[in-house]
Amino acid sequence: MKVLLKLIQLEIRKNKLLGLLKGVVIANLAILAFMILVTYIDTSENGGEFKTYADMFEGVYIFTKAAFIIFASVVLSKLVIDEYKNNTITLLFMYPISRKKLMTAKIIIVFLFTVVSIFVSDILLNAILVGINSFTHVIPGSLDLNSIPSELIRISTDAVYAAGIGLIPLFIGMRKKSVPATIVTAVLVVSLISSGFGNFRMGNQVGVSLALALVGAGIAYLSIRNIEQKDIA
């Protein structure tokens, strides 16, 4: 475990992943601006896009999930796909470190990045929007404080599902050794889970989210399992 934690720290430093925080902030600002537009500015006689707090929370989650699943593909590309594409992974594998541990560290970074980004962004954006609504009163009624614990549990669970889904592009990325292919796959996955009609969304179905998350976990496992024997050329 100590070796794995050390590898995670080294990967974060080597790839300067803390610099991605700027991208996270920009993504959150873009989502916030869009939510303010459709909730508090783009109103009509029938009100804005969201009629209840539950609708608004759902809207925030849809956008944060989509944004950070795509963001996860960018991190995957930086940590894994680029290494294979540029053949720098060969140098890493020459060190007296287990290939499995090295790849596991990379996957853990992507998974935790996605979970934390979605969880924190959801809470922060919802809190800001609720605060704005306390002055504008565009969304009628008051927030039921008793619903907050269950909402936090839902956000946590959905963030884990989304992080698993975010690993699916690894399959195409590893086969093609292509950064664009990895990111395009993420966009297609987001399009799939965001598709639907009315209030129905594929990604809102627990069974669908769980199944796709397990697919992502399976892809990550297979990517790690045979790494010791896999030809990296």
Side-chain angles (χ1 to χ4, degrees):
M1 182 60 70
K2 288 183 178 180
V3 174
L4 195 58
L5 290 175
K6 188 65 176 179
L7 285 173
I8 291 173
Q9 292 175 353
L10 289 174
E11 283 294 315
I12 291 174
R13 291 176 185 173
K14 185 188 74 172
N15 292 283
K16 300 178 180 179
L17 295 183
L18 292 179
L20 292 174
L21 294 178
K22 183 186 295 184
V24 173
V25 172
I26 293 173
N28 277 302
L29 289 175
I31 295 170
L32 178 62
F34 182 78
M35 289 296 297
I36 289 175
L37 176 66
V38 299
T39 306
Y40 303 109
I41 298 177
D42 185 20
T43 57
S44 61
E45 295 179 357
N46 298 321
E49 180 71 21
F50 306 109
K51 304 298 189 296
T52 66
Y53 280 111
D55 290 342
M56 183 180 72
F57 294 160
E58 186 64 31
V60 169
Y61 177 67
I62 289 173
F63 290 119
T64 54
K65 177 171 64 174
F68 289 109
I69 286 177
I70 296 173
F71 217 126
S73 71
V74 175
V75 182
L76 270 175
S77 297
K78 190 176 182 66
L79 287 176
V80 181
I81 310 305
D82 263 346
E83 297 274 21
Y84 277 88
K85 180 182 177 182
N86 300 325
N87 211 30
T88 53
I89 197 75
T90 305
L91 179 62
L92 289 176
F93 285 166
M94 291 176 64
Y95 295 142
I97 301 172
S98 167
R99 290 186 181 185
K100 287 185 178 180
K101 287 184 178 180
L102 181 59
M103 185 62 72
T104 299
K106 291 174 180 290
I107 299 298
I108 288 175
I109 289 173
V110 177
F111 186 87
L112 291 180
F113 169 82
T114 311
V115 170
V116 173
S117 295
I118 291 176
F119 183 78
V120 173
S121 297
D122 251 326
I123 292 176
L124 182 62
L125 292 173
N126 283 331
I128 292 174
L129 292 170
V130 169
I132 294 174
N133 193 66
S134 66
F135 294 100
T136 62
H137 303 290
V138 170
I139 297 177
S142 58
L143 179 64
D144 182 8
L145 297 180
N146 293 325
S147 67
I148 292 179
S150 60
E151 185 67 22
L152 289 174
I153 293 173
R154 186 187 74 87
I155 291 173
S156 302
T157 305
D158 286 347
V160 172
Y161 290 159
I165 295 170
L167 296 175
I168 292 177
L170 180 64
F171 177 74
I172 299 297
M174 290 286 283
R175 288 177 67 88
K176 300 294 186 181
K177 294 182 174 61
S178 168
V179 170
T182 305
I183 297 174
V184 168
T185 302
V187 173
L188 292 176
V189 170
V190 166
S191 299
L192 172 65
I193 62 177
S194 300
S195 63
F197 52 89
N199 293 324
F200 176 82
R201 291 287 182 277
M202 288 283 290
N204 292 351
Q205 308 305 306
V206 175
V208 174
S209 295
L210 178 58
L212 290 175
L214 290 175
V215 169
I219 289 171
Y221 171 74
L222 292 175
S223 299
I224 295 169
R225 188 185 65 176
N226 298 323
I227 196 69
E228 296 290 353
Q229 294 80 31
K230 189 172 182 180
D231 183 12
I232 60 177

